[in-house]
Amino acid sequence: MTTAGQPPRPPRRTTPPRTRIGLWFGRPLASFHLVVTIAVLLTVLGLVMVLSASSAESFAADESGYALFTQQLIGVVLGAVAFYVALRLPVRYLRKLSFPLFLVSITMLMLVLIPGIGAERQGARRWFDFGVVSFQPSELAKVALVLWGAHLLASRRSEHGNIKSLLIPLLPAGLLMCLLVVLQPNLSTAIALGIILVALLWFAGLNARLFGAVLMTGMALATVLAFTAGYRSNRVKAWLNPGEDTQGLSYQSTQAKYSLADGGLFGRGLGQSRAKWSYLPNAHNDFIFAIIGEELGMIGCLAVIGLFGLFVYTGLRIAMRSVDPFLRLLTAGATCWVFGQAMINIGYVVGLLPVTGLQLPLVSYGGTSTAITLLMFGIIASAARHEPEAIAALHAGQEGRIARALKLPLPAVFSPKRAAMARSKSTRPTLAAQDRKRLESRKGKDGRPARTAEPGRTRTRVSSSRTDTMSPRSTAYRGDAPRGNARRSEPPRREPAAGSRSAYRPRPEPQPGRPPVRSGERGYRR
């Protein structure tokens, strides 16, 4: 209660005051800075750990401890260039290049299976050798699928496509890509492609029952493929019975657990791992997380998991804030891909999952994988600069030090009309039967389709009494001097009687026993 003459008290604050971290996360370009920071930290950590984990094996093979590190450094440099190019590339170019990139990736996946073109290593044909460097087309297929899938689903959602238009042709094309990767054989990359496909369908708004059916079908196919090859079934057996054959099938996973246990809380120190001295196979590649646990301890492992967790938060935040449906689907699908691949790698290192061979993004050895992942991080960072608040801040001059140093162009404001014009005709769904009937019913008597009003304009009805503003073509239809381009002419209309209020017909005379027809009633045409 307030006494007379006193102003009312202000209402109490229902939300607690924001902290410095909350204020920083509320900045317009916070998502962009987070993506760039995470990419830099994971890349630097990967270079350091690849040098530490591969130095012993490289020295034993080539008498140089920097052989594998040099190749990884080349991949990082190429990835940094791709990151910068992705930041400067407009969104409309990404949509235009998505389908050609998908066709190129399909062609490369077919060519790599041909003997003499694709290089075979350890019984798998997955690489193109170009002398000093090699290229793995299955890594490019991940980017191609997430780009083209996001473009396709964004186009179908904007055109009110049904379930069939959401699944076709994305689902058959994704399964074809997975089949080509399995034939290499490379089941781990096929699983990553499956994660991208499922994530796109989920964020596109697919029905829960149908999504569950697609998910269960994919898991069933992966289980069947896991038991078709001998080395895959051995991995599953080693996972189900880890202590049965510690010197055979379970040797690699057992040594990884020993490395994690040897690290303890704070680790043995950087470069002091003992498992990398030919005790743990592929220590610099698939099982680099075990070397991190041994040298940096549980603190280092939690830091890596925390960086990937922060990346998931940032990626989904960008997807929620994006106005463009293409960027929303692209960011969500790429975030699920990177995080899912990281969790599968960490899961089979600690023994929660069977060994699949998926690399730890930006940390494991692999020049192609590192370059492609940095390219995807650049696309996500570009999507962060296209948030509405970020666009307003950038156009207001609040670019920040990173944008000024990189001289990045200002992002364009999303326009639905411009996005509709950028869609390819091949991605537009066919009209439904009701739409076709509606168009046919709108055709005129001469068989030509009726003209529809443009978006944003209203159709006005011109009164028939205003004959001075009629076009020349319309006067030819009314019996005036016919034009040369007039197709047909109608008989001249009868002139209205003197004093008549109608240009079509005079007012009807009142009949006996009926009241006179007034204006606005049935039977009177104005």
Side-chain angles (χ1 to χ4, degrees):
M1 296 179 62
T2 58
T3 58
Q6 294 183 358
R9 296 181 180 179
R12 296 182 180 180
R13 298 181 58 181
T14 56
T15 58
R18 305 181 67 177
T19 61
R20 291 185 177 181
I21 298 179
L23 291 175
W24 189 89
F25 273 92
R27 297 173 59 184
L29 295 174
S31 301
F32 172 72
H33 294 150
L34 282 174
V35 173
V36 175
T37 304
I38 294 170
V40 171
L41 291 178
L42 289 177
T43 304
V44 172
L45 177 64
L47 285 174
V48 173
M49 297 310 302
V50 166
L51 176 61
S52 176
S54 64
S55 57
E57 184 177 351
S58 299
F59 182 80
D62 302 328
E63 297 182 357
S64 174
Y66 299 96
L68 296 178
F69 172 75
T70 304
Q71 297 180 7
Q72 181 71 6
L73 185 60
I74 294 175
V76 169
V77 172
L78 295 177
V81 175
F83 186 94
Y84 181 70
V85 172
L87 280 178
R88 298 187 59 88
L89 199 63
V91 177
R92 63 180 184 273
Y93 288 161
L94 288 177
R95 304 194 69 167
K96 290 181 180 180
L97 295 175
S98 60
F99 187 66
L101 183 63
F102 180 80
L103 293 181
V104 169
S105 62
I106 290 290
T107 305
M108 296 178 70
L109 289 177
M110 293 180 180
L111 291 177
V112 79
L113 298 175
I114 302 176
I117 299 179
E120 184 177 357
R121 300 176 185 176
Q122 299 178 356
R125 198 178 300 275
R126 308 175 185 174
W127 297 269
F128 291 116
D129 280 337
F130 301 102
V132 181
V133 296
S134 59
F135 178 73
Q136 193 171 356
S138 58
E139 295 293 335
L140 181 63
K142 301 176 185 178
V143 180
L145 181 61
V146 70
L147 280 175
W148 181 65
H151 168 65
L152 183 66
L153 293 176
S155 303
R156 298 297 173 87
R157 288 190 62 186
S158 59
E159 295 179 0
H160 306 286
N162 50 15
I163 296 178
K164 182 179 179 181
S165 63
L166 292 178
L167 295 178
I168 298 175
L170 178 60
L171 188 59
L175 293 178
L176 174 62
M177 184 175 286
C178 293
L179 177 62
L180 293 175
V181 173
V182 169
L183 293 177
Q184 295 180 0
N186 192 359
L187 182 60
S188 58
T189 305
I191 293 176
L193 293 174
I195 293 175
I196 295 174
L197 188 61
V198 169
L200 288 175
L201 292 177
W202 172 259
F203 287 102
L206 189 64
N207 187 11
R209 292 185 178 180
L210 191 57
F211 175 80
V214 172
L215 182 62
M216 296 301 296
T217 304
M219 295 177 62
L221 290 176
T223 304
V224 171
L225 291 174
F227 289 96
T228 52
Y231 72 97
R232 298 172 189 161
S233 59
N234 291 335
R235 290 177 177 178
V236 177
K237 293 178 182 178
W239 174 62
L240 295 176
N241 302 308
E244 183 177 354
D245 190 5
T246 56
Q247 297 299 321
L249 298 178
S250 305
Y251 176 77
Q252 194 175 21
S253 57
T254 303
Q255 292 296 324
K257 295 176 184 177
Y258 288 162
S259 300
L260 292 172
D262 197 14
L265 183 61
F266 298 101
R268 298 180 56 86
L270 188 63
Q272 302 300 320
S273 172
R274 290 185 285 188
K276 65 183 180 182
W277 295 91
S278 301
Y279 289 102
L280 179 61
N282 294 327
H284 60 283
N285 192 357
D286 299 340
F287 285 83
I288 197 169
F289 188 76
I291 305 300
I292 295 176
E294 185 178 5
E295 295 186 354
L296 303 180
M298 189 178 67
I299 301 298
C301 293
L302 292 178
V304 174
I305 297 175
L307 285 176
F308 282 106
L310 184 60
F311 169 73
V312 172
Y313 166 76
T314 307
L316 295 181
R317 166 179 166 162
I318 296 172
M320 293 177 60
R321 293 188 174 190
S322 297
V323 182
D324 191 351
F326 167 71
L327 291 179
R328 188 183 305 119
L329 291 171
L330 174 62
T331 307
T335 302
C336 293
W337 154 36
V338 175
F339 180 72
Q341 183 171 331
M343 291 300 102
I344 290 176
N345 178 273
I346 296 175
Y348 70 70
V349 168
V350 300
L352 296 178
L353 296 173
V355 178
T356 57
L358 275 176
Q359 300 171 337
L360 191 61
L362 298 181
V363 181
S364 296
Y365 168 79
T368 305
S369 175
T370 302
I372 294 299
T373 307
L374 283 175
L375 172 63
M376 199 69 251
F377 268 77
I379 295 176
I380 296 175
S382 177
R385 298 181 77 245
H386 283 80
E387 295 179 0
E389 295 181 358
I391 292 177
L394 291 174
H395 283 271
Q398 304 176 8
E399 298 182 359
R401 298 179 180 178
I402 298 179
R404 286 194 297 267
L406 298 178
K407 297 182 179 180
L408 299 177
L410 294 178
V413 182
F414 172 71
S415 173
K417 183 178 180 180
R418 185 166 58 245
M421 294 175 59
R423 290 197 298 264
S424 175
K425 293 182 180 180
S426 59
T427 60
R428 295 181 180 179
T430 58
L431 294 176
Q434 297 180 357
D435 298 334
R436 290 198 297 268
K437 291 180 180 179
R438 190 183 305 111
L439 291 177
E440 292 177 358
S441 62
R442 291 180 180 178
K443 292 183 179 180
K445 297 181 180 179
D446 55 350
R448 295 180 300 172
R451 297 179 59 184
T452 57
E454 297 181 3
R457 298 184 180 181
T458 58
R459 301 180 61 182
T460 58
R461 187 176 181 180
V462 182
S463 176
S464 58
S465 60
R466 298 184 58 180
T467 58
D468 55 339
T469 60
M470 302 296 291
S471 63
R473 185 174 180 179
S474 63
T475 56
Y477 281 96
R478 288 166 45 195
D480 297 340
R483 298 284 180 176
N485 57 354
R487 298 185 179 180
R488 62 186 179 89
S489 60
E490 295 180 356
R493 188 176 290 116
R494 187 180 59 180
E495 294 295 333
S500 174
R501 298 175 57 185
S502 174
Y504 290 94
R505 62 175 180 174
R507 183 190 299 272
E509 296 295 334
Q511 299 180 4
R514 294 186 179 181
V517 181
R518 298 180 181 178
S519 175
E521 295 182 356
R522 187 175 182 180
Y524 174 69
R525 184 175 180 182
R526 184 176 179 80

